[in-house]
Amino acid sequence: MQTMRRSVLGLIALLVLCSSCQEQAAKPSGDEKKTSEGKAPTRVTTQVVSPGQADNGQTYVGIVEEREATAVSFTGMGVVKRMLVSEGQAVSRGQLIAEMDDTQARNVLTGVEAQMAQANDALGRYKLLHDNGSLPEVQWVEIQSKVAQAASQLEVAKKNLADCRLTAPVSGIVGKRLVGVGETALPSQAVVSILDISSVKVKVAVPEAEISSIHASTPTSIQVEAVGGNYRGGRIEKGVAADALTHTYDIRINVANDGRKLLPGMVARVHFASGGSQDGSGGSMIPVTAVQKQADGSLFVWTVDQQNTAHRTTVTVGLTEGDCIRVKTGLNTGDRIVTEGYQKLSEGTKVVY
């Protein structure tokens, strides 16, 4: 009798336990709540489309250079007597830069002026004889030649004296002073360099494997920490000769320099925008994996509307850049696209993200 009672109690306990488990299984979890249609939404990963998103362009370190450098030198040899400019000073075209000792040039000019006066005096006396017909024609021609020679020597002597004063051939800033007071300047030896920095160039060494992606109009952004400024690059000049050791090509980016804050030698970070503008593709960048192909060969992405419903959106694409692709048409800024979990989607599927 006791044994039968234990069996009945055990059977009752087992039935209660099974009933409890069935109730627990029937309760939906938070992630498995049904929609009004009776189907749980699909969990996906999304991102919002933004202009030029995921630009995988390259960044390099560059050096600011002057637009043009002019080496200024004396045309003759002599000892520098005065230097009137210093490095970094702004100069204007025609401004006096330096003077050379002109003692010898002045002495030469004085002697030539005396010869010129003597030749003119002789010309006047011989002219009276020539007009009276008492001077042979040969002598008249000879005296005229001597006057012409004296005049030519006078012009040379004046120029030599003027050349003792060195003036700026262009406007700009003085880069370096290469000769000091008391030193002997030689013909064509640079005394100072004048730099034109009304605009500047940023020189960058680009590896040969990447030079083909850079064009004259490739968009660039330039950051120069020395002046705390960001600049938009202009036209690009590409070198055609590679460095024999590094196999890089020098390119130069023209940059406007309003206020002349950018100075030669400053370090710059140069970012080259990827592709796009060269082939007119424009558009935004999205992950390559988000683009799917339909049976007819057209491309589409899954977009999510404000009601969290997934839709196929047909797109046309441009260049692939790294793990992203540029979408030319089909998407607008602010659209939400599915980047992960799209394998479980069909038109009209409800999603959560």
Side-chain angles (χ1 to χ4, degrees):
M1 189 71 180
Q2 192 73 11
T3 302
M4 182 180 295
R5 183 177 298 174
R6 288 197 193 98
S7 299
V8 171
L9 290 175
L11 180 61
I12 293 172
L14 180 62
L15 291 174
V16 171
L17 179 63
C18 290
S19 176
S20 176
C21 292
Q22 288 176 357
E23 289 179 359
Q24 290 292 330
K27 291 182 181 180
S29 65
D31 290 338
E32 296 176 340
K33 290 182 180 179
K34 305 295 183 180
T35 64
S36 58
E37 292 80 5
K39 185 178 180 181
T42 302
R43 181 167 296 278
V44 295
T45 301
T46 66
Q47 75 177 37
V48 177
V49 176
S50 61
Q53 186 175 357
D55 184 355
N56 291 332
Q58 297 295 327
T59 300
Y60 303 91
V61 175
I63 298 294
V64 177
E65 292 183 340
E66 66 279 357
R67 177 186 178 188
E68 188 174 359
T70 303
V72 185
S73 60
F74 289 104
T75 58
M77 184 175 69
V79 177
V80 177
K81 183 172 63 175
R82 288 201 304 164
M83 287 294 298
L84 303 173
V85 296
S86 56
E87 293 184 0
Q89 178 180 338
V91 295
S92 302
R93 182 176 181 180
Q95 181 176 334
L96 183 62
I97 293 175
E99 285 185 319
M100 197 174 359
D101 186 354
D102 59 0
T103 302
Q104 183 178 356
R106 287 188 180 279
N107 291 337
V108 171
L109 178 59
T110 300
V112 173
E113 287 176 339
Q115 293 177 5
M116 186 73 236
Q118 184 179 7
N120 285 330
D121 181 66
L123 179 64
R125 288 186 283 105
Y126 278 104
K127 187 176 186 303
L128 293 175
L129 296 175
H130 179 267
D131 292 344
N132 294 332
S134 56
L135 182 69
E137 191 66 27
V138 174
Q139 291 184 354
W140 175 242
V141 172
E142 183 179 352
I143 190 61
Q144 286 182 315
S145 297
K146 288 182 179 180
V147 171
Q149 290 175 3
S152 177
Q153 292 173 359
L154 179 61
E155 292 301 318
V156 171
K158 288 181 177 179
K159 185 178 185 305
N160 288 339
L161 179 60
D163 287 344
C164 291
R165 293 166 55 88
L166 187 62
T167 58
V170 295
S171 298
I173 64 169
V174 177
K176 287 186 177 181
R177 278 180 36 168
L178 304 172
V179 177
V181 174
E183 296 181 353
T184 300
L186 300 176
S188 301
Q189 176 192 14
V191 176
V192 298
S193 62
I194 297 179
L195 311 179
D196 180 1
I197 60 169
S198 55
S199 64
V200 296
K201 297 180 181 181
V202 177
K203 184 178 77 170
V204 178
V206 178
E208 61 181 9
E210 300 168 10
I211 192 67
S212 61
S213 64
I214 297 175
H215 306 272
S217 57
T218 298
T220 56
S221 58
I222 299 168
Q223 181 181 18
V224 183
E225 292 186 0
V227 296
N230 295 300
Y231 299 83
R232 184 181 298 276
R235 185 169 182 82
I236 296 174
E237 303 170 5
K238 293 174 62 174
V240 295
D243 184 278
L245 296 177
T246 62
H247 296 283
T248 58
Y249 290 82
D250 285 342
I251 70 168
R252 288 174 170 82
I253 308 158
N254 289 276
V255 182
N257 192 21
D258 298 336
R260 298 187 177 184
K261 293 182 179 180
L262 297 178
L263 299 176
M266 287 183 174
V267 177
R269 290 181 59 84
V270 182
H271 179 75
F272 291 86
S274 56
S277 62
Q278 279 70 49
D279 60 2
S281 59
S284 301
M285 301 295 294
I286 65 172
V288 172
T289 54
V291 180
Q292 308 296 312
K293 181 180 288 188
Q294 301 191 85
D296 61 0
S298 62
L299 302 177
F300 73 95
V301 297
W302 288 104
T303 57
V304 179
D305 62 18
Q306 294 182 351
Q307 287 73 42
N308 291 349
T309 302
H311 301 283
R312 287 187 181 90
T313 301
T314 302
V315 296
T316 59
V317 299
L319 298 176
T320 300
E321 301 166 11
D323 58 356
C324 292
I325 191 167
R326 188 173 294 275
V327 177
K328 296 194 287 186
T329 62
L331 293 179
N332 298 313
T333 300
D335 287 349
R336 183 175 294 277
I337 63 171
V338 177
T339 57
E340 294 181 18
Y342 44 79
Q343 300 89 343
K344 300 173 287 186
L345 300 180
S346 60
E347 182 65 28
T349 298
K350 290 290 185 178
V351 299
V352 291
Y353 51 86

